[in-house]
């Protein structure tokens, strides 16, 4: 309101005065409402988009998990409700428990590996040495390659007979015939290794950024007190880094728990389902067997796990904020 | 940098220091070599004439571009599809996210906190769950196997991130600047387009770049929302390629190299915006 009058006063142009006069009959409340309505116009498209692409699927998945989908459903449009059949079918199938366990192994293994190596590299790069900046940015390159492509490149490297990894191991005198992706005992380990490789750059960048924020004076003070490098790191750096660590781990968890492309490119969930995770199981159920009901059940459980983690994360965050 | 010049650095034992520093450089190079080896191997394999044979040499001696030739003839169209879909996704993403980020940053509206919170929550929704429900909706709407459908789905990968990122930037635009524009008689939309957007250029570029990368590397929506070969991005192309040409690793790797090029080019061009974008977007 005040700005309108001000502009009318300074400009003094007849039209400006005219619009100001035209707006006058509106009560202050009406004007406020109008302004708010116009402001909502900026936000509305995003809200609608997110409601359609995130809200709707969440609700729809719950409904779908109680419906009977079959390969013909999308021609006939018929997916009758079948109570809790999908749920009991999924739970009674041993594959679900297996996929759940493998998801846990995959997520925890990947997070621990990514985080530890990422942190070590971040600390390493806080030292000053020639070419530091260039090396640091080049390490990000693996991040640029689409995940499915990374998976395919590693699939080639891991090949038991013709892969470079085994031929390298053979050259240096180690057993060079490990069936990285083709044995049920090794495949999950191999997939985790690749995911660690993928996650290192991200962990490193964020943690490096966090380390830059830790005041140098604290380190100097600790050094003056005679603390060793390791002690300083544990008692000064790590506590200061805690908020950043939480962010890295949460983002890492969210991207790892639902991973699909990497597993499909490396092993397609095999051999003998030994790399099947909840993400791939959802995909298999829905898009390979066209049983969207079963897919929705597994998907809902995946959401539930994420939600539990989200609540936990928000709790931690709130406590820290106060 | 500034601190080094200010502190009258004690004349350090100049004889020892440089040596130790180069030691770290060497160690850094080793780390880099290990980390980048798979990418090197991808390029190396792509350039070998008989990449499918048992022994791929450590360096491409007789460089051979036949892998690239067949990759371009067979996957060139898919590369263009990826480019079109990713650019479309970026356009949708920025058009939806930028006004929202501005509104959430500068307007005092009831409920905007809830929306910001909701935006963060959406990033926790697994993509395959979205695909699961989206597929049936897409069938009903006739969006399966369409460029527009895939662009929309891919835009959803970048929108929450773009909102959070740009909002955290736009919060710092001083109110006086916006008020001054309004005093000059600019409407809300004109203020947004002519004042806010130019000021937020860096965050727009970063958000756009990330949504491009998300859309470019999307595999899941490409895989699930397309039932025919009409709309096939490069990620899906390469995935199906290994099914059909297991023996021809040279071409597969050449296609992989090509799929990494646009992202690398973009990143080099906008290097300076990235670091700020990553940290600004995730740590806050």
């Amino acid at each position: 309101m005040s700005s309108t009058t001000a502009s009318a006063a300074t400009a003094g142009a007849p039209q400006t005065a005219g619009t100001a006069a035209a707006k006058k009959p509106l009560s202050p409340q009406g004007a406020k409402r109008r302004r708010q309505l116009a402001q909502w116009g900026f936000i509305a498209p995003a809200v609608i988009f997110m409601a359609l692409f995130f809200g709707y699927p969440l609700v729809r998945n719950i409904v779908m998990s109680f419906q009977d989908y079959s390969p013909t459903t999308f021609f006939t449009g018929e997916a009758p409700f079948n109570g809790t059949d999908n749920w009991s079918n999924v739970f009674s199938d041993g594959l679900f428990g297996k996929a759940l366990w493998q998801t846990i192994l995959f997520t925890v293994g990947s997070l621990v590996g990514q985080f530890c190596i990422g942190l070590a590299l971040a600390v390493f790069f806080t030292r000053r040495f020639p070419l530091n900046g260039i090396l640091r940015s080049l390490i990000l390159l693996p991040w640029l390659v689409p995940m499915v492509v990374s998976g395919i490149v590693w699939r080639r490297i891991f090949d038991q007979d013709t892969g470079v990894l085994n031929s390298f191991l053979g050259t240096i005198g180690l057993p060079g015939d490990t069936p990285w992706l083709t044995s049920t005992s090794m495949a999950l380990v191999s997939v985790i290794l690749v995911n660690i490789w993928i996650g290192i750059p991200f962990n490193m960048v964020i943690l490096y950024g966090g380390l830059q924020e830790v005041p140098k004076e604290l380190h100097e003070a600790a050094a003056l007190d005679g603390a060793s490098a390791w002690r300083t790191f544990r008692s000064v750096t790590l506590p200061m880094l805690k908020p950043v660590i939480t962010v890295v781990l949460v983002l890492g968890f969210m991207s790892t728990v639902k991973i699909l492309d990497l597993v499909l490119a490396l092993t397609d969930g095999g051999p003998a389902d030994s790399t099947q995770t909840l993400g791939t199981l959802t995909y298999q159920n829905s898009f390979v067997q066209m049983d969207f009901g079963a897919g929705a059940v597994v998907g809902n459980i995946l959401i539930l796990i994420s939600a539990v983690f989200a609540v936990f994360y928000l709790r931690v965050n709130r406590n820290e904020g106060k | 940098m500034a601190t080094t010049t200010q502190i009258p650095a004690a004349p350090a034992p100049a004889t020892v220091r440089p040596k130790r520093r180069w030691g770290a450089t060497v160690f850094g190079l080793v780390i880099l070599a290990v980390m980048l080896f798979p990418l090197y191997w991808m390029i190396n394999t792509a350039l070998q004439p008989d990449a499918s044979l048992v022994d791929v040499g450590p360096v491409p001696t007789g460089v051979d571009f036949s892998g690239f030739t067949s990759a371009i003839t067979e996957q060139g169209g898919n590369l263009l599809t990826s480019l079109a879909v990713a650019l479309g996704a970026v356009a949708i993403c920025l058009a939806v996210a930028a006004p929202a980020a501005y509104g959430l940053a500068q307007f005092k509206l009831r409920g905007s906190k809830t929306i910001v919170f909701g935006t963060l929550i959406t990033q926790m929704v697994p993509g395959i769950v979205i695909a699961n429900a989206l597929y049936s909706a897409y069938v009903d709407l006739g969006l399966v196997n369409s460029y527009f459908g895939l662009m929309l789905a891919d835009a959803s990968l970048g929108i929450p991130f773009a909102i959070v990122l740009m909002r955290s930037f736009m919060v710092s635009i001083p109110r006086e600047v916006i008020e001054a524009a309004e005093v000059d008689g600019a409407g809300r939309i004109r203020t947004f387009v002519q004042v806010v957007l130019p000021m937020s250029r860096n965050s727009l570029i970063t958000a756009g770049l990330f949504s491009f990368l998300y859309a470019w590397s999307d595999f899941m929506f490409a895989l699930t929302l397309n039932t025919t070969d009409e709309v096939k991005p490069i990620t899906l192309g390469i995935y199906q390629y290994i099914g059909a040409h297991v023996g021809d690793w040279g071409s597969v790797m050449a296609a992989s190299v090509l799929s990494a090029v646009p992202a690398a080019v973009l990143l080099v061009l906008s290097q300076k915006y990235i670091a700020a974008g990553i940290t600004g977007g995730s740590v806050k």
Side-chain angles (χ1 to χ4, degrees):
Chain A
M1 279 299 274
S2 60
S3 61
T4 339
T5 14
S7 71
T10 42
Q15 320 147 258
T16 336
T19 41
K23 273 182 187 169
K24 235 176 199 167
L26 268 175
S27 66
Q29 273 176 333
K32 193 184 170 198
R33 202 166 302 151
R34 247 180 74 161
R35 195 185 66 220
Q36 283 191 339
L37 210 65
Q39 291 182 335
W40 273 110
F42 279 83
I43 303 173
V47 172
I48 294 169
F49 188 98
M50 288 196 290
L52 288 178
F53 279 83
F54 295 99
Y56 166 79
L58 283 179
V59 177
R60 182 68 191 267
N61 255 281
I62 296 173
V63 178
M64 285 170 91
S65 69
F66 298 102
Q67 281 179 288
D68 184 21
Y69 279 85
S70 68
T72 53
T73 299
F74 292 104
F75 297 107
T76 59
E78 277 170 34
F81 284 90
N82 62 352
T84 53
D85 284 5
N86 295 326
W87 293 81
S88 51
N89 287 345
V90 166
F91 286 132
S92 62
D93 185 356
L95 189 52
F96 173 77
K98 193 175 174 169
L100 178 62
W101 175 237
Q102 282 162 183
T103 307
I104 295 170
L105 288 180
F106 175 72
T107 309
V108 173
S110 301
L111 282 186
V112 169
Q114 292 173 356
F115 177 76
C116 292
I117 300 176
L119 181 62
L121 290 187
V123 170
F124 170 71
F125 277 107
T126 53
R127 303 174 57 167
R128 284 220 208 114
F129 55 83
L131 302 183
N132 180 319
I134 298 171
L135 296 183
R136 199 157 28 88
S137 41
L138 283 178
I139 273 189
L140 295 183
L141 281 175
W143 201 11
L144 296 181
V145 182
M147 201 180 266
V148 66
V149 173
S150 297
I152 282 159
V153 172
W154 274 96
R155 182 165 164 166
R156 176 77 192 122
I157 292 173
F158 273 143
D159 190 280
Q160 186 179 358
D161 303 317
T162 63
V164 64
L165 183 58
N166 271 346
S167 69
F168 170 75
L169 291 176
T171 324
I172 61 167
L174 292 166
D177 56 354
T178 312
W180 295 100
L181 294 172
T182 44
S183 86
T184 50
S185 55
M186 276 307 293
L188 188 62
V189 174
S190 307
V191 175
I192 292 173
L193 285 177
V194 177
N195 195 41
I196 290 175
W197 175 77
I198 288 178
I200 288 172
F202 176 76
N203 277 262
M204 192 196 86
V205 171
I206 307 275
L207 291 169
Y208 178 83
L211 285 171
Q212 298 302 102
E213 306 283 306
V214 178
K216 295 267 180 297
E217 299 78 46
L218 283 180
H219 282 141
E220 282 157 18
L224 281 177
D225 288 346
S228 67
W230 170 242
R231 184 71 211 276
T232 311
F233 179 72
R234 230 188 52 206
S235 314
V236 178
T237 314
L238 275 188
M240 294 289 293
L241 210 55
K242 213 177 141 201
V244 183
I245 291 176
T246 321
V247 168
V248 162
L249 289 179
V250 168
L251 293 179
F253 175 86
M254 293 189 313
S255 55
T256 308
V257 78
K258 60 189 180 191
I259 257 177
L260 183 74
D261 5 14
L262 183 66
V263 182
L264 287 185
L266 279 169
T267 62
D268 265 318
D273 293 319
S274 62
T275 53
Q276 206 77 258
T277 60
L278 293 184
T280 58
L281 190 58
T282 311
Y283 169 75
Q284 301 280 357
N285 279 334
S286 294
F287 293 98
V288 178
Q289 284 153 29
M290 300 308 270
D291 185 353
F292 280 75
V297 171
V298 184
N300 284 330
I301 290 161
L302 200 52
I303 293 173
L304 203 66
I305 295 174
S306 303
V308 168
F309 200 84
V311 170
F312 165 75
Y313 165 64
L314 294 171
R315 263 241 166 104
V316 172
N317 245 14
R318 194 184 303 155
N319 289 346
E320 253 168 25
K322 278 172 187 169
Chain B
M1 286 294 265
T3 42
T4 26
T5 43
Q6 276 166 14
I7 299 168
T15 40
V16 187
R17 268 280 171 84
K19 217 177 183 181
R20 273 176 59 195
R21 285 180 174 180
W22 280 105
T25 306
V26 171
F27 186 66
L29 281 169
V30 172
I31 293 173
L32 189 71
V34 173
M35 282 298 291
L36 296 192
F37 178 78
L39 302 189
Y40 169 72
W41 203 248
M42 169 174 86
I43 298 170
N44 181 34
T45 312
L47 291 172
Q48 305 266 348
D50 290 313
S52 35
L53 294 180
V54 177
D55 279 316
V56 178
V59 276
T61 37
V63 172
D64 177 277
F65 285 99
S66 62
F68 281 93
T69 333
S70 62
I72 287 174
T73 43
E74 286 166 59
Q75 297 282 343
N78 299 345
L79 279 164
L80 290 179
T81 301
S82 277
L83 192 66
V85 170
L87 289 177
V90 170
I92 296 170
C93 181
L94 291 182
V96 170
Y102 172 57
L104 293 171
Q106 293 280 349
F107 302 154
K108 290 187 184 68
L109 289 171
R110 223 193 292 166
S112 55
K113 266 198 182 142
T114 319
I115 295 171
V116 175
F117 181 73
T119 311
L120 291 171
I121 292 294
T122 58
Q123 294 187 293
M124 302 195 177
V125 183
I128 184 66
V129 174
I130 299 174
N132 209 40
L134 222 48
Y135 179 78
S136 63
Y138 267 37
V139 168
D140 295 341
L141 296 169
L143 281 172
V144 177
N145 303 320
S146 76
Y147 279 90
F148 185 60
L150 191 55
M151 282 174 195
L152 277 175
D154 281 356
S156 77
L157 298 169
I159 281 180
F161 177 78
I163 292 179
V164 172
L165 178 80
M166 290 191 282
R167 178 183 163 273
S168 68
F169 184 89
M170 289 173 178
V171 165
S172 62
I173 296 178
R175 275 217 69 80
E176 294 81 47
V177 175
I178 291 160
E179 271 162 17
E182 277 167 7
V183 168
D184 287 348
R188 259 178 290 272
I189 293 174
R190 252 187 72 192
T191 308
F192 173 66
V193 174
Q194 296 187 345
V195 178
V196 175
L197 286 186
M199 284 184 76
S200 321
R201 200 180 53 132
N202 286 6
S203 71
L204 277 172
I205 292 176
T206 315
L209 184 90
F210 274 85
S211 10
F212 183 90
L213 290 180
Y214 287 143
W216 180 270
S217 36
D218 165 63
F219 170 66
M220 197 197 51
F221 287 133
L223 178 69
T224 54
L225 299 179
N226 295 295
T227 52
T228 62
D229 283 348
E230 263 169 77
V231 183
K232 195 199 283 179
I234 185 72
T235 46
L236 186 57
I238 293 176
Y239 178 69
Q240 294 178 347
Y241 215 25
I242 48 164
H245 303 245
V246 197
D248 190 7
W249 279 102
S251 311
V252 175
M253 290 300 161
S256 303
V257 173
L258 293 176
S259 80
V261 167
V265 169
L266 258 182
L267 209 77
V268 169
L269 288 180
S270 50
Q271 183 94 46
K272 61 178 173 175
Y273 306 105
I274 308 299
I278 302 168
T279 39
S282 49
V283 189
K284 186 60 225 163

